[in-house]
Amino acid sequence: MTKLLKKFISIITHRIFIIPLLMILQIALILLIILKYNQYFVHFYLISFILSFIMAIYIINGKSNPGYKIAWLIPTMGLPVFGIILYMIFGMNQLSTHEKKKLKKLYYKGQDNQNKKDLVMDELKYESLNAHNQAKYICDYSPSSVCKHTKTTYLSGGEVYFEKLMDALKKAHKYIFLEYFIIREGYMWNNILELLKTKVEEGVDVRLIYDDLGCIVTLPNHYEKRLNKLGIKTVVFNKFIPRLRSRFNNRDHRKIAVIDGYTCFTGGINLADEYMNKQVRFGYWKDNGIMLEGAAAWNFTTMFLSMWDFITGENTNLKEYMPPHELVYTTPSDGYIVPYEDNPWDHEAVGETIYLNLINKANRYIYITTPYLIIDNEMITALITAAKRGVDVKIITPGIPDKKIVSEVTKAYYNQLIEGGIRIYEFTKGFVHEKTFVVDDEYATVGTVNLDYRSLYLHFECGVWLYASSTIHNIKKDVQKTLKESREIKKKGIEKLSFFKNLKRQILKAFAPLM
C-alpha cells in the first residue's frame, strides 16, 4: 500500500471527515422528505409560514443577546422549515431538567466552598466602592470570592508560560488538574506528558479535561483511553458525535492548570507548539497568561472539580483538596484578586459584564488586546461612550489572522469604532491571541474570554480580575510594547476600500453572531 493511499484512507476514516459527512446525510434526508411532498406546495408554504412566524416570536422573546436573535431571524424567516431546523440544531442552548438540576447543584457546591471572607470584601468596600461593586458582581454570579494572600505573576508569551508551568508541575505533591481547549502533540505537550507520567509514578493524582472539538484535529481519536492507561485520569468535554444537536455550540474554552490547590495558571495559552512559537503558523504568536499562588488558586480548584463532576457524575468532597491553611494565609497580599468563570447555560453573560463594568468605570484609559472583535451593540456603545467622555480607548487585533473570514468580520467593525473615537491597532508581527483589559493603572483582567459571540455567550470560559495589584503595571507595559509593534488603522485606509469589499464585510457582519 503506497503512502498516498494510506494518507487518503487515514483522512476518510478520520472523524473530522466522517462526522460532517453523517451530519450532511441527515440534513439531506430531511430535505428529501420535504421535496418528496412538494405537490402539496400551497399547504406546505402555509404551514412553513406559520411555523416560521411562531419560531420568530420564540426567538424574539428568548433570553439570548439581541444581535444573536437578529442573526437567526434571517435564516428562520428566509428559509422556512430548513431555517427552523438549523436554529434547533445550532441556535438553541438546551439542557435537560436533570442536567439543569445537576449544574445548579454543582454551582452552589462550588459557591459554598469558596472560603469567602466578608472581612476582605468589607476592606475592599472601604478602599474603593467602585472596585467593591465590580467584585461583588463577580462573586455573586460566577461564583467566586475576592482574595488577598495571593501572589500574581504575569506571563508574557507561551515560552515563559511553559517554563513556569513545568517548574510548578515538578513541585506537585498531591494533585495536578489540567483543563484545556486544545492539546496538540509536539514539543510542548510531549514534555508535559513525560512529566505527568513521572508524577503518576510518584503517587500524584493527575487529571485532565480537554474539549473534544478543540482537539478533533490535534489528537488521535479516543486519546483519552491512552492517557487513562498511563494513570492520567482523563475525560473529554462534550464529545463531538454524528448527531444533529444544539450542544455542539457549547465548548469548554477554558485553560486551567492547578497544582495542589495553591498554584494555578490561566490565560489564552493552550498546550500546543504554536502557543510558544515552536511552530510558526501566523507569524509571531503573541499570547499571555497569569500564575496565581495562594488563596485565589482555590477558586480554580473548585472550577475544575465542578466541571469534572459534571462530566463524570462523581460527587467530589472538595474539602479533601483544600491546601493547608497556614500555607495559603502566610502568602503576602498584592492587591485584590477575583477569579471568575462563565457558562452558557445560566443566561448570565459574566465575561461580557465584567468587560462592560471595566469600560463604564474607566476614567483615563482602556487598553484591550483581543484576537477577534465581533461585538454587540451594548459593547460598541460602551466603548464609544467611554471615548466620547475623554477616555483613551485603544484596541489591538492581529495583523496576521488565524481565520480569514472572521478577520473580515472584525474589520467590519473598524469604521464605526474609529468614527466613535476609538483607536484600532493591528499587531504587525503576527497573531494576537491575548484576551486582556487594563484600565487606569487600577484594574486588569487576563483570561480566556474573546470579544466575540462564541466566547461571550456560547462557551465555558474563565479569567482573573485584578485590582490594585503590582501585576497590573506589568500587563500595561506589555500592552504598550505591543502597541509599538503594531500599526494604527486610519479612517482614510478604510474609505479607500472598494464597494464590493465593504459590501462583503457588511454581509458577513450581519451573520457575525453565528460565527
Side-chain angles (χ1 to χ4, degrees):
M1 188 180 290
T2 66
K3 288 183 179 180
L4 188 63
L5 183 59
K6 283 183 179 179
K7 187 173 183 181
F8 175 74
I9 292 172
S10 68
I11 291 171
I12 64 172
T13 56
H14 196 285
R15 58 187 180 141
I16 195 66
F17 178 85
I18 292 172
I19 291 173
L21 178 63
L22 290 173
M23 292 175 68
I24 290 168
L25 288 174
Q26 291 176 68
I27 292 170
L29 180 61
I30 294 167
L31 286 173
L32 186 64
I33 293 169
I34 293 170
L35 291 173
K36 185 178 179 180
Y37 296 100
N38 63 357
Q39 65 266 37
Y40 304 104
F41 177 77
V42 176
H43 302 87
F44 175 75
Y45 181 82
L46 180 61
I47 293 170
S48 298
F49 176 80
I50 293 170
L51 289 174
S52 294
F53 181 77
I54 293 170
M55 183 57 74
I57 297 298
Y58 174 82
I59 293 171
I60 290 168
N61 285 282
K63 293 182 179 181
S64 58
N65 178 269
Y68 193 68
K69 293 177 185 179
I70 292 169
W72 273 112
L73 284 173
I74 297 171
T76 301
M77 298 299 292
L79 299 169
V81 178
F82 189 63
I84 295 172
I85 293 168
L86 281 176
Y87 176 74
M88 292 178 70
I89 295 169
F90 299 109
M92 301 176 74
N93 287 320
Q94 290 185 330
L95 279 180
S96 66
T97 303
H98 172 71
E99 286 174 318
K100 286 178 181 177
K101 288 181 180 178
K102 185 178 175 183
L103 191 66
K104 190 175 181 180
K105 182 180 178 182
L106 291 172
Y107 176 92
Y108 286 112
K109 179 181 178 181
Q111 194 175 50
D112 291 341
N113 286 276
Q114 289 297 331
N115 279 339
K116 291 186 177 181
K117 297 295 182 183
D118 292 336
L119 289 175
V120 178
M121 188 65 86
D122 290 343
E123 183 182 325
L124 178 58
K125 187 175 183 179
Y126 178 80
E127 187 167 326
S128 169
L129 183 59
N130 181 359
H132 169 271
N133 290 343
Q134 291 188 52
K136 183 180 185 303
Y137 167 79
I138 303 171
C139 292
D140 287 348
Y141 292 96
S142 184
S144 189
S145 59
V146 59
C147 302
K148 296 184 73 176
H149 299 289
T150 302
K151 178 185 176 183
T152 59
T153 305
Y154 178 65
L155 308 173
S156 177
E159 300 89 334
V160 178
Y161 183 96
F162 174 67
E163 181 183 342
K164 291 288 186 181
L165 178 59
M166 288 291 285
D167 287 343
L169 293 173
K170 289 173 185 175
K171 296 174 185 175
H173 294 294
K174 188 175 181 182
Y175 60 83
I176 295 170
F177 297 154
L178 303 175
E179 181 179 343
Y180 284 88
F181 180 60
I182 294 173
I183 298 173
R184 186 192 299 271
E185 292 182 303
Y187 177 86
M188 188 180 193
W189 171 242
N190 292 347
N191 276 277
I192 291 172
L193 181 58
E194 287 304 311
L195 182 52
L196 296 180
K197 289 193 286 187
T198 300
K199 285 296 171 181
V200 168
E201 292 171 1
E202 293 174 5
V204 175
D205 180 4
V206 180
R207 303 189 195 186
L208 172 67
I209 299 171
Y210 66 83
D211 185 88
D212 199 39
L213 185 59
C215 297
I216 197 167
V217 296
T218 61
L219 291 178
N221 197 15
H222 302 302
Y223 188 69
E224 75 278 13
K225 293 181 180 179
R226 186 187 305 180
L227 295 179
N228 277 304
K229 287 180 180 178
L230 296 173
I232 300 168
K233 301 170 189 172
T234 306
V235 295
V236 181
F237 178 84
N238 199 0
K239 283 207 171 185
F240 195 56
I241 56 177
R243 191 173 76 233
L244 300 176
R245 59 176 191 162
S246 62
R247 204 70 59 78
F248 286 147
N249 276 327
N250 305 136
R251 311 312 316 179
D252 184 357
H253 193 245
R254 307 194 309 193
K255 293 93 180 169
I256 297 172
V258 180
I259 297 92
D260 294 340
Y262 179 80
T263 305
C264 73
F265 297 77
T266 192
I269 299 165
N270 284 296
L271 304 183
D273 285 355
E274 61 267 34
Y275 289 85
M276 58 179 298
N277 290 290
K278 278 286 183 182
Q279 177 186 3
V280 178
R281 295 187 66 197
F282 313 105
Y284 181 79
W285 192 291
K286 182 77 175 70
D287 218 325
N288 67 4
I290 190 166
M291 179 172 72
L292 309 179
E293 298 169 275
W298 176 244
N299 291 267
F300 281 100
T301 310
T302 61
M303 281 185 213
F304 177 91
L305 288 171
S306 293
M307 179 65 82
W308 183 273
D309 284 0
F310 182 78
I311 297 170
T312 64
E314 295 176 14
N315 185 22
T316 303
N317 181 0
L318 298 182
K319 292 181 180 179
E320 293 179 4
Y321 297 89
M322 293 182 72
H325 186 277
E326 61 276 10
L327 175 64
V328 171
Y329 291 100
T330 54
T331 305
S333 295
D334 181 19
Y336 298 86
I337 314 300
V338 187
Y340 59 88
E341 60 179 307
D342 196 2
N343 81 76
W345 294 333
D346 62 0
H347 301 292
E348 183 67 38
V350 173
E352 183 181 39
T353 304
I354 289 170
Y355 288 165
L356 288 172
N357 284 340
L358 288 169
I359 295 166
N360 292 332
K361 298 301 181 181
N363 294 311
R364 294 188 290 116
Y365 74 83
I366 305 164
Y367 297 158
I368 300 169
T369 59
T370 179
Y372 317 114
L373 188 60
I374 304 173
I375 49 181
D376 60 17
N377 187 65
E378 289 87 345
M379 186 70 72
I380 293 169
T381 301
L383 288 166
I384 291 175
T385 300
K388 286 180 177 179
R389 67 173 185 265
V391 178
D392 177 19
V393 183
K394 291 185 172 76
I395 303 175
I396 304 173
T397 64
I400 302 175
D402 65 333
K403 304 177 183 73
K404 290 185 178 179
I405 292 178
V406 177
S407 176
E408 286 296 301
V409 181
T410 289
K411 294 175 192 295
Y413 287 85
Y414 284 1
N415 192 49
Q416 183 180 0
L417 294 172
I418 291 170
E419 283 184 346
I422 294 155
R423 300 176 71 180
I424 307 288
Y425 296 79
E426 288 184 348
F427 180 59
T428 54
K429 293 173 64 177
F431 181 60
V432 170
H433 193 251
E434 298 171 342
K435 310 95 166 50
T436 306
F437 274 57
V438 58
V439 177
D440 292 347
D441 295 348
E442 292 185 314
Y443 303 97
T445 179
V446 176
T448 69
V449 187
N450 294 318
L451 281 176
D452 67 9
Y453 284 81
R454 304 201 71 79
S455 260
L456 296 173
Y457 304 112
L458 297 175
H459 290 167
F460 287 79
E461 305 282 0
C462 65
V464 179
W465 178 93
L466 305 99
Y467 170 69
S469 169
S470 61
T471 297
I472 295 169
H473 177 67
N474 295 330
I475 298 171
K476 180 185 178 182
K477 279 179 61 179
D478 188 41
V479 174
Q480 288 176 325
K481 180 177 180 292
T482 308
L483 283 168
K484 292 176 182 177
E485 299 170 326
S486 305
R487 68 183 183 95
E488 186 172 0
I489 306 300
K490 298 291 186 179
K491 187 170 172 58
K492 288 182 180 178
I494 297 173
E495 290 172 345
K496 289 179 182 178
L497 293 173
S498 68
F499 169 79
F500 291 105
K501 187 79 168 177
N502 275 314
L503 179 62
K504 174 188 173 184
R505 287 183 179 178
Q506 294 309 310
I507 292 171
L508 288 171
K509 188 177 176 181
F511 293 95
L514 309 185
M515 295 185 181

